[in-house]
Amino acid sequence: MYIRTDNNNNIVEVISVGVKPTENGYEVNPDEIPIDVLKDIFKYKFINNEFIKNDNIMDSILEEVRNVKIQNMSAICNKLIENGISFNGENYSLKPNDQINLMKLETVAKLSPTTPIFYHADGQMCRQYSADEIINITETASAFIAFHTTYFNMLKAQIKTINDTAAISVINYG
């Protein structure tokens, strides 16, 4: 006898005579399957050669583990972005207000490159920057933010496809 599962390991087909499905297909011995499982086989998942009752509690626990991991990854991503970038040996924080200030300064630098632009690196005194310096800082910051945002979104998508809490728990940012 063969069974076929979907990508979430739910049993979706039982084949008593025929060919083993090429995708998510498993050969099982019907004599080794408990009668209560056979009666309601479509209410089970098949994971690691075991029939596991498709219990909404298990699904909600898995969903909670996913959500906690995604929140953790989001917090790490945000913290890395807020810690900022290093540019010409100085650090520039990228907290939301910093990002807004840099975007405004970039606009000034592009629209009026001869206008004096004043800003400061973390822990430094305010100084005058050239338009090119501000544009280079903002381009570096934008690339940094885009990298981490894209990386987080990829991790989030990956986490949403994993159906094993142990596998989710070992995922780390970076």
Side-chain angles (χ1 to χ4, degrees):
M1 180 166 92
Y2 302 107
I3 60 170
R4 187 176 63 81
T5 65
D6 63 14
N7 289 334
N8 292 321
N9 300 312
N10 296 303
I11 297 171
V12 294
E13 185 177 18
V14 175
I15 305 164
S16 54
V17 177
V19 180
K20 177 180 171 184
T22 56
E23 188 174 321
N24 296 334
Y26 305 93
E27 184 173 1
V28 293
N29 182 345
D31 296 330
E32 295 177 6
I33 303 173
I35 193 72
D36 58 323
V37 172
L38 275 175
K39 283 182 180 178
D40 289 322
I41 197 159
F42 295 108
K43 292 183 179 178
Y44 286 80
K45 292 182 181 242
F46 191 69
I47 303 172
N48 297 327
N49 291 321
E50 289 185 46
F51 292 94
I52 299 171
K53 185 132 177 102
N54 190 356
D55 189 358
N56 287 337
I57 293 172
M58 286 174 44
D59 289 342
S60 65
I61 290 171
L62 177 62
E63 193 60 31
E64 180 65 21
V65 169
R66 281 185 186 133
N67 289 338
V68 167
K69 181 55 84 168
I70 289 168
Q71 288 171 2
N72 180 262
M73 297 294 105
S74 177
I76 292 169
C77 176
N78 288 333
K79 184 71 172 163
L80 285 168
I81 289 171
E82 288 183 357
N83 285 343
I85 58 166
S86 180
F87 186 83
N88 287 342
E90 295 182 304
N91 193 71
Y92 294 86
S93 294
L94 294 174
K95 292 182 173 89
N97 283 342
D98 299 317
Q99 293 179 43
I100 292 167
N101 289 337
L102 284 169
M103 285 189 317
K104 289 178 182 178
L105 294 175
E106 179 184 33
T107 301
V108 171
K110 288 182 176 179
L111 294 177
S112 181
T114 59
T115 300
I117 302 172
F118 294 92
Y119 198 62
H120 62 86
D122 293 352
Q124 302 297 316
M125 296 295 294
C126 194
R127 71 169 177 87
Q128 186 173 342
Y129 286 78
S130 71
D132 286 342
E133 285 177 305
I134 291 296
I135 291 169
N136 288 332
I137 290 168
T138 57
E139 286 176 351
T140 301
S142 293
F144 181 78
I145 292 166
F147 169 82
H148 281 287
T149 302
T150 302
Y151 180 72
F152 165 72
N153 286 330
M154 186 260 332
L155 276 178
K156 181 178 174 181
Q158 179 185 12
I159 290 165
K160 286 185 173 187
T161 66
I162 299 172
N163 295 316
D164 177 23
T165 57
I168 291 170
S169 68
V170 298
I171 295 174
N172 292 309
Y173 195 95

